[in-house]
Amino acid sequence: MLDAEDKAALHTPDGVVADSLPFRDEEGYVNPEFVSAVSDAIDALDTERLRLLVDDFHESDLGDLLEALDPEHRPRLIELLGSAFDFTALTEVDEAVREEILEGLETATLAEGVRELDSDDAVTILESLDEEDKAEVLDHLPAVERVALQRSLDYPEGSAGRRMQSELIAVPPFWTVGQTIDYMRDTADLPETFYEIFVIDPAGHLLGAVPLDRLLRSKRPITIQDIMNDDPDRVAATQDQEEVARLFERYNLVSAAVVDEANRLVGVMMVDDIVDVLEEEADADIKQLGGVKSDEELSDTVFYIQRSRFPWLFINMCTALIAANVIQLFEGSLERMVALAVLMPIVASMGGNAGTQTMTVAVRALATRELGRSNAWRIIRREAMVGLLNGMAFALIMGTIAGLWFQSIELGIVIGMALVTVLIFAALGGIFVPLSLNKLGVDPAVSSGPFVTSITDIVGFFAFLGIATAWFHL
Amino acid sequence: MLDAEDKAALHTPDGVVADSLPFRDEEGYVNPEFVSAVSDAIDALDTERLRLLVDDFHESDLGDLLEALDPEHRPRLIELLGSAFDFTALTEVDEAVREEILEGLETATLAEGVRELDSDDAVTILESLDEEDKAEVLDHLPAVERVALQRSLDYPEGSAGRRMQSELIAVPPFWTVGQTIDYMRDTADLPETFYEIFVIDPAGHLLGAVPLDRLLRSKRPITIQDIMNDDPDRVAATQDQEEVARLFERYNLVSAAVVDEANRLVGVMMVDDIVDVLEEEADADIKQLGGVKSDEELSDTVFYIQRSRFPWLFINMCTALIAANVIQLFEGSLERMVALAVLMPIVASMGGNAGTQTMTVAVRALATRELGRSNAWRIIRREAMVGLLNGMAFALIMGTIAGLWFQSIELGIVIGMALVTVLIFAALGGIFVPLSLNKLGVDPAVSSGPFVTSITDIVGFFAFLGIATAWFHL
């Protein structure tokens, strides 16, 4: 099993020996006892015990450990570990945590740590520094690395150019398989991991790519251009990383060449970075649908979160005020028949939930490109039909309940009619709102919610109170 | 660029020539004009034009094309394409679509198509067949493949054993790098793609793994055991695929050995399958939080969807009825002061939205293992503080609005007090409900919503109407 899992397997009930104290429990959650053991070792300045505890830790586990520690312990752990600390771990923590840790470190330590990193990881760390510190760290680096990092940093945030790895293997097309393999055997400074080698012309233009398994299967005298794929998977450095992630997902890629506008090879995009992008994207969609900003992290402070959640609640307050105005129109009816006040939230709430169901499906299908022009009308018709059918089902159920509750068949009929109306509007709102926002270039995950619930609230109150007022001549 | 992108780039305004008609538009959505061109060709039985249209199509694009076609055109496209149709495309479509297509195909055609597939893809297709057809297709296959597929199918649904690829390269530890490379050069029947070779003993136990790049970098006389990683990344065949996906994500893996309970190598898990698992998982979380069943697909029928969305709406109706009962307790107060009926939905709605914000963050953090015992209390305190602060902020804003609207400072104070109460309860409910469900082993993404909104509705109506009744002696 993997390192951390192994340690979990070695868990003994007393759990006092460092090596048998697991970092994660069986379900993968961080073990608080392990974290306090590390905190104790930090407080005791016990470097030896610390190294024993985090010995052979994967960067990802080290990152999770940093996040689990108290903020003041984090930079101290790094200082105490010294060269045993792998700076890659800093790319695995929340941005807020990373910024805080980086502020607590010496520039020299930082430059030394960044120097050891792959370019994509180094860029992630440099992005979190202010301009002054960034320039200072870059100054500490050898010229070749500095230029490569600077080029990545010049691409816009969230682009393939920012996420790419500059370390790659590129050979001319006339080399043989044997020459290529010998070159790789003799070169010490190869990228840490790679799945394909690229083929370029003298000006650096991308000509093709050879997957490693094909290289291994080919005989030594064969030339590279005979086995290369001459239309390799490639993305533009300026392309948005989410778009790139969709391509990786759709075409099952593990790596892709990154080229500039002149088709010159500038880097390589690796699937492990793409997995992170896909997770971030799903994370963002989930949070935005729940009314939370996509960049909210578990490590953010109370005040930051309060401020970031306020706008959504404010918008919701405004839509609720509009709905309240609709209710006020029927004040007279409510005074004459208080049962309406008791039942009206049910109608609005059913509408809100049905609208959210449709909206969720639509937003997700738009994000994954499953919903487009070619099937929009079919989906709209389908949702309207679902709304009608569930509207009729709940009209029957809720109508019966209300009729029995308030001893009035007529009230049952009124709430039933209102439910059919609101569930059809909920379905239409749930699909038209995301489709329209998407067409207008607005992210439907962020903004659909308030529109849909406004529609269902307003239609819900209006339909129920309006039908009741007309029916009972209130 | 990639195939489909290339075609998009070749798009000409008239778009009549088959080769220049793009399959996707610039944003990656399927182009309806392309789909109708294919439909026309199917109706005209024009095999030549069909082959020209889908020439060199990636399996994923072919799958999306199948989904975009009318159901009756789908099996006909496969028949017309004959051997030019890559059955892998069937693994890229929704399950409902796949089942429908498979029903329309001859068993012999099916067996022929399945035979060409990698084992993981073959399993996906076999899973969609009923027992009888499955047995018939298996009978058509050569013994070796049949046994491998049967073994995969014996593992539980959703396990690594089901998703794994049986095709892999395994060599003994005493082989040299040269022997291994020669073996790969001379063996025609290698897996389509691989990123590492495995090392096993004569009984098939996993001893280690060698990444391809390390193999390429090593000199021919070196033995495999000298360069192998003797604690390679491995997962149990019975392990849940979501757990496996978390490991891939956490440790940036591209492939991992799959072993049985005796540590015998039975297959390999590839990152492209893991990307699909992660997407499915995110999809499921998003849908479940929106009150939609995780297996709902865009291709499902109206009746299926209506039935599958009904239970969530029914549960919501029950919680709304409880809230209505709370309102009924205050019927007298509502009759005497109809402004309460106008304002009460605002309080409940603010509570519902604030509760959803906290719940969304908690559910997602539980899924990604970011929220656990080690930080639960910190997050609970933080959410309660955010609730208190936003409660006070909206108490001020909404209190002022209500005071001015109904010309009553006292009504403003009452709604303010209610808002502080409900926003604190919303925060606590939003975090305690998912934590408790998780502890009880219930998926918090599925069930948190109704509990949280019940809490916010009941607390909202009770606090507002209760405080008002006490304050105004209603």
Side-chain angles (χ1 to χ4, degrees):
Chain A
M1 291 282 157
L2 298 148
D3 290 346
E5 301 293 305
D6 242 355
K7 295 197 176 171
L10 288 169
H11 178 64
T12 50
D14 51 19
V16 279
V17 190
D19 305 279
S20 66
L21 188 62
F23 173 57
R24 292 181 191 279
D25 62 23
E26 282 120 56
E27 286 169 39
Y29 297 103
V30 171
N31 175 11
E33 281 80 40
F34 187 94
V35 178
S36 16
V38 171
S39 299
D40 292 345
I42 294 175
D43 286 331
L45 302 174
D46 189 344
T47 316
E48 202 171 321
R49 181 159 161 75
L50 263 186
R51 292 205 181 165
L52 193 68
L53 277 165
V54 306
D55 182 42
D56 268 344
F57 249 45
H58 187 279
E59 64 227 35
S60 165
D61 292 326
L62 201 52
D64 286 349
L65 172 63
L66 278 173
E67 287 194 336
L69 285 172
D70 287 335
E72 62 271 28
H73 277 135
R74 292 169 186 157
R76 289 176 60 196
L77 173 71
I78 300 175
E79 285 163 30
L80 286 168
L81 284 178
S83 63
F85 178 78
D86 178 357
F87 268 68
T88 319
L90 289 180
T91 65
E92 305 274 346
V93 302
D94 280 354
E95 205 177 318
V97 174
R98 181 161 58 242
E99 283 174 9
E100 208 186 276
I101 294 177
L102 291 176
E103 272 171 34
L105 292 177
E106 295 285 321
T107 315
T109 323
L110 203 51
E112 199 46 54
V114 167
R115 199 174 162 171
E116 302 291 319
L117 297 180
D118 277 347
S119 60
D120 51 342
D121 295 329
V123 167
T124 305
I125 292 192
L126 288 171
E127 277 175 343
S128 299
L129 295 174
D130 55 42
E131 285 308 316
E132 201 182 327
D133 286 341
K134 195 195 289 179
E136 216 173 314
V137 171
L138 282 171
D139 276 347
H140 274 80
L141 296 177
V144 183
E145 288 170 37
R146 189 168 59 234
V147 171
L149 291 179
Q150 198 64 64
R151 184 166 58 181
S152 268
L153 286 166
D154 284 344
Y155 287 111
E157 218 173 306
S159 67
R162 277 285 179 100
R163 285 265 184 176
M164 72 186 180
Q165 186 180 304
S166 314
E167 295 86 3
L168 51 81
I169 301 179
V171 300
F174 50 82
W175 276 24
T176 63
V177 168
Q179 260 178 305
T180 308
I181 292 182
D182 290 343
Y183 163 76
M184 290 198 276
R185 283 192 187 137
D186 297 337
T187 312
D189 195 24
L190 288 182
E192 219 181 298
T193 332
F194 53 97
Y195 312 112
E196 56 184 343
I197 62 165
F198 297 104
V199 189
I200 53 171
D201 70 13
H205 297 107
L206 179 66
L207 299 176
V210 184
L212 290 196
D213 55 329
R214 197 184 302 166
L215 191 69
L216 270 169
R217 285 189 245 187
S218 307
K219 305 226 184 275
R220 287 181 66 91
I222 294 174
T223 61
I224 291 293
Q225 63 192 340
D226 288 336
I227 56 167
M228 78 182 186
N229 174 0
D230 55 11
D231 181 23
D233 301 313
R234 82 190 79 180
V235 296
T238 49
Q239 215 168 338
D240 184 72
Q241 58 182 17
E242 293 193 4
E243 241 173 86
V244 176
R246 287 272 151 247
L247 292 179
F248 267 71
E249 197 202 352
R250 190 181 300 147
Y251 301 110
N252 297 334
L253 311 181
V254 289
S255 69
V258 182
V259 293
D260 67 11
E261 60 292 341
N263 192 32
R264 275 182 306 245
L265 182 65
V266 292
V268 55
M269 200 71 190
M270 305 291 258
V271 71
D272 56 322
D273 293 322
I274 291 300
V275 167
D276 293 341
V277 172
L278 286 171
E279 278 287 293
E280 281 167 25
E281 199 192 335
D283 231 63
D285 279 352
I286 290 177
K287 284 180 180 159
Q288 286 164 347
L289 281 170
V292 175
K293 279 202 186 145
S294 59
D295 62 353
E296 186 180 309
E297 292 175 334
L298 224 51
S299 51
D300 289 333
T301 62
V302 168
F303 292 100
Y304 181 85
I305 291 183
Q306 186 264 324
R307 276 202 311 276
S308 99
R309 292 201 197 153
F310 180 91
W312 174 269
L313 292 175
F314 188 81
I315 293 169
N316 171 63
M317 187 192 75
C318 298
T319 70
L321 276 168
I322 299 173
N325 270 293
V326 173
I327 299 174
Q328 209 190 14
L329 292 179
F330 299 96
E331 243 175 12
S333 312
L334 286 166
E335 257 165 345
R336 281 183 280 277
M337 198 175 190
V338 79
L340 300 182
V342 174
L343 292 174
M344 68 182 187
I346 300 180
V347 179
S349 151
M350 296 291 289
N353 276 274
T356 303
Q357 287 183 326
T358 302
M359 180 190 82
T360 303
V361 171
V363 165
R364 188 61 189 161
L366 281 169
T368 57
R369 302 287 185 269
E370 280 181 275
L371 175 58
R373 263 199 308 146
S374 65
N375 57 357
W377 278 108
R378 195 171 63 76
I379 303 296
I380 290 167
R381 274 199 311 273
R382 191 195 68 176
E383 289 297 329
M385 276 301 295
V386 171
L388 176 67
L389 289 176
N390 265 332
M392 294 194 303
F394 283 102
L396 208 67
I397 301 172
M398 196 54 227
T400 310
I401 295 175
L404 292 172
W405 187 358
F406 293 96
Q407 296 293 316
S408 156
I409 295 175
E410 289 180 288
L411 192 56
I413 295 172
V414 168
I415 198 171
M417 285 161 64
L419 277 171
V420 174
T421 314
V422 75
L423 260 71
I424 291 174
F425 272 90
L428 295 175
I431 183 108
F432 273 114
V433 167
L435 278 176
S436 314
L437 289 173
N438 193 54
K439 195 140 205 173
L440 295 172
V442 181
D443 183 353
V446 187
S447 333
S448 295
F451 284 106
V452 173
T453 47
S454 309
I455 292 174
T456 56
D457 275 1
I458 293 167
V459 171
F461 292 129
F462 207 93
F464 180 55
L465 298 176
I467 295 173
T469 303
W471 186 284
F472 297 110
H473 309 291
L474 292 170
Chain B
M1 290 281 160
L2 297 148
D3 290 345
E5 301 295 304
D6 243 356
K7 297 200 173 166
L10 288 169
H11 178 65
T12 49
D14 50 19
V16 279
V17 189
D19 305 279
S20 65
L21 188 62
F23 173 56
R24 291 180 192 278
D25 63 22
E26 281 121 56
E27 287 169 41
Y29 296 104
V30 171
N31 175 10
E33 280 80 41
F34 187 94
V35 177
S36 14
V38 171
S39 298
D40 293 346
I42 294 175
D43 286 333
L45 303 174
D46 188 344
T47 317
E48 203 171 322
R49 180 157 163 77
L50 263 187
R51 292 204 182 166
L52 192 69
L53 277 165
V54 305
D55 181 42
D56 267 342
F57 248 43
H58 187 279
E59 63 225 35
S60 165
D61 291 328
L62 201 51
D64 286 350
L65 172 63
L66 278 173
E67 287 194 336
L69 285 172
D70 286 337
E72 62 271 27
H73 277 137
R74 291 167 187 159
R76 290 176 59 195
L77 173 71
I78 300 176
E79 284 163 32
L80 287 169
L81 283 178
S83 64
F85 178 78
D86 178 357
F87 268 69
T88 321
L90 289 181
T91 66
E92 305 275 347
V93 301
D94 280 355
E95 205 177 316
V97 174
R98 180 160 59 241
E99 284 174 8
E100 209 186 275
I101 294 177
L102 291 177
E103 271 172 35
L105 292 176
E106 296 285 320
T107 315
T109 324
L110 202 52
E112 200 45 55
V114 167
R115 199 174 164 170
E116 302 292 318
L117 298 180
D118 278 346
S119 61
D120 51 342
D121 294 329
V123 168
T124 306
I125 292 191
L126 289 171
E127 276 175 343
S128 299
L129 294 175
D130 56 41
E131 285 307 315
E132 201 182 327
D133 287 340
K134 196 195 290 178
E136 216 174 317
V137 171
L138 282 171
D139 275 348
H140 275 79
L141 297 176
V144 184
E145 286 170 39
R146 188 169 59 234
V147 171
L149 291 178
Q150 197 64 65
R151 185 166 59 183
S152 269
L153 286 166
D154 284 345
Y155 286 111
E157 217 173 307
S159 67
R162 278 282 180 99
R163 284 265 182 176
M164 71 187 180
Q165 185 182 304
S166 313
E167 294 84 4
L168 51 81
I169 301 179
V171 299
F174 50 82
W175 275 25
T176 63
V177 168
Q179 261 178 304
T180 308
I181 291 181
D182 291 343
Y183 164 75
M184 290 197 279
R185 283 191 187 138
D186 298 337
T187 312
D189 193 24
L190 288 183
E192 216 180 302
T193 331
F194 52 98
Y195 312 111
E196 56 185 344
I197 60 165
F198 297 103
V199 188
I200 53 171
D201 70 12
H205 298 107
L206 179 67
L207 300 176
V210 184
L212 289 195
D213 56 330
R214 198 184 301 164
L215 191 70
L216 271 168
R217 283 189 246 187
S218 306
K219 306 230 185 268
R220 288 181 66 89
I222 294 174
T223 61
I224 291 293
Q225 63 191 339
D226 287 337
I227 56 167
M228 79 181 184
N229 174 0
D230 55 11
D231 182 20
D233 300 313
R234 82 188 80 178
V235 295
T238 50
Q239 216 168 337
D240 184 72
Q241 59 183 17
E242 294 193 5
E243 243 174 84
V244 176
R246 287 274 151 245
L247 293 178
F248 266 72
E249 195 201 355
R250 190 181 297 146
Y251 300 110
N252 297 333
L253 310 180
V254 288
S255 69
V258 182
V259 293
D260 66 10
E261 60 294 338
N263 191 33
R264 277 183 304 244
L265 182 66
V266 291
V268 55
M269 201 72 192
M270 306 292 258
V271 71
D272 55 322
D273 293 322
I274 291 298
V275 167
D276 293 341
V277 173
L278 286 170
E279 278 287 295
E280 282 166 25
E281 200 190 335
D283 230 63
D285 280 352
I286 290 176
K287 285 181 181 159
Q288 287 164 346
L289 281 170
V292 176
K293 280 207 184 137
S294 58
D295 61 355
E296 187 180 310
E297 292 174 333
L298 224 52
S299 50
D300 289 333
T301 62
V302 168
F303 292 99
Y304 181 87
I305 292 182
Q306 184 265 327
R307 276 202 313 276
S308 100
R309 291 198 196 156
F310 180 91
W312 176 269
L313 292 175
F314 187 81
I315 293 169
N316 172 64
M317 188 192 73
C318 297
T319 71
L321 277 168
I322 300 172
N325 270 292
V326 172
I327 299 174
Q328 208 190 15
L329 292 178
F330 299 97
E331 243 176 11
S333 311
L334 286 165
E335 257 165 345
R336 281 183 281 276
M337 198 174 190
V338 79
L340 299 182
V342 175
L343 292 174
M344 69 182 186
I346 300 180
V347 179
S349 150
M350 296 291 288
N353 276 274
T356 303
Q357 287 182 326
T358 302
M359 181 189 81
T360 303
V361 171
V363 164
R364 187 64 187 158
L366 281 169
T368 57
R369 302 286 184 267
E370 280 181 275
L371 176 58
R373 264 200 307 147
S374 65
N375 57 357
W377 278 109
R378 194 172 61 75
I379 303 297
I380 291 167
R381 275 199 310 273
R382 190 195 68 176
E383 289 297 330
M385 277 301 295
V386 170
L388 176 67
L389 289 175
N390 266 333
M392 294 194 304
F394 284 102
L396 208 68
I397 300 171
M398 196 54 226
T400 309
I401 294 176
L404 292 171
W405 186 357
F406 293 95
Q407 295 295 314
S408 157
I409 297 176
E410 289 180 288
L411 191 57
I413 295 173
V414 168
I415 198 171
M417 285 162 64
L419 276 171
V420 174
T421 314
V422 74
L423 260 71
I424 292 175
F425 272 89
L428 295 176
I431 182 108
F432 273 114
V433 167
L435 278 176
S436 313
L437 289 173
N438 193 53
K439 196 141 203 171
L440 295 172
V442 181
D443 184 352
V446 186
S447 333
S448 295
F451 283 105
V452 173
T453 47
S454 309
I455 292 174
T456 55
D457 274 0
I458 293 168
V459 171
F461 292 128
F462 206 92
F464 180 56
L465 298 175
I467 295 173
T469 302
W471 186 284
F472 296 111
H473 308 291
L474 292 169

